Amino acid sequence: MKDLFADNDLPLVRYNGNGSRTSTKAAKIIDAVYSYADEEGVILYENVRYRPKDFRQRRPDGNGGYIYNLEGIDRVPYCLPELLERLATPDAEIWLAEGEKDADNLRSIGFYSDQFQELDTEP
């Protein structure tokens, strides 16, 4: 199957205007950005998922750009404001997912919604 698709980790050959060749790596494409916020909802940092699968963490630089490290940043749970809101509810169900994508999938089917509906288990 892998022979049918381009391998983005292979070097690409680019021809310069003078006829010489330059080798370069394929660019990675951002697939998803997962934001981590403090208790007030202020973005502290982001986990960026690239295609092909790779992750990089970045934090806002205060000028509309990013710094690609987490030096001096406190790590917080994904969706912290929502988690704190749920913990304030008596008998709230808290689901722990393997990663951000799984947490977002749980949210999309109602597991983090205030209007939680029981899943239909019948065929």
Side-chain angles (χ1 to χ4, degrees):
M1 242 351 233
K2 73 177 188 172
D3 293 334
L4 298 175
F5 301 96
D7 184 354
N8 285 340
D9 289 333
L10 293 177
L12 299 176
V13 175
R14 181 176 21 167
Y15 290 93
N16 297 324
N18 61 8
S20 65
R21 296 179 348 171
T22 303
S23 180
T24 182
K25 282 282 206 178
K28 294 190 179 252
I29 298 168
I30 292 179
D31 196 30
V33 177
Y34 304 105
S35 299
Y36 286 75
D38 66 10
E39 299 84 3
E40 304 298 319
V42 176
I43 303 297
L44 298 173
Y45 60 95
E46 296 175 332
N47 194 16
V48 182
R49 180 186 175 121
Y50 292 92
R51 193 173 358 128
K53 191 175 179 182
D54 189 20
F55 293 91
R56 297 280 184 259
Q57 289 75 38
R58 66 186 186 185
R59 57 189 165 103
D61 69 0
N63 297 315
Y66 298 98
I67 299 169
Y68 282 80
N69 68 48
L70 298 183
E71 293 175 14
I73 301 295
D74 292 330
R75 307 310 197 287
V76 296
Y78 185 53
C79 301
L80 177 62
E82 193 173 330
L83 175 63
L84 293 174
E85 184 179 321
R86 299 280 301 169
L87 288 172
T89 305
D91 300 325
E93 288 187 10
I94 304 297
W95 291 76
L96 299 179
E98 182 180 4
E100 298 100 339
K101 186 175 181 180
D102 293 328
D104 287 346
N105 285 334
L106 285 171
R107 181 183 292 104
S108 73
I109 59 174
F111 278 87
Y112 290 118
S113 170
D114 288 340
Q115 299 151 346
F116 177 81
Q117 296 177 356
E118 196 167 319
L119 297 177
D120 184 11
T121 56
E122 295 187 28

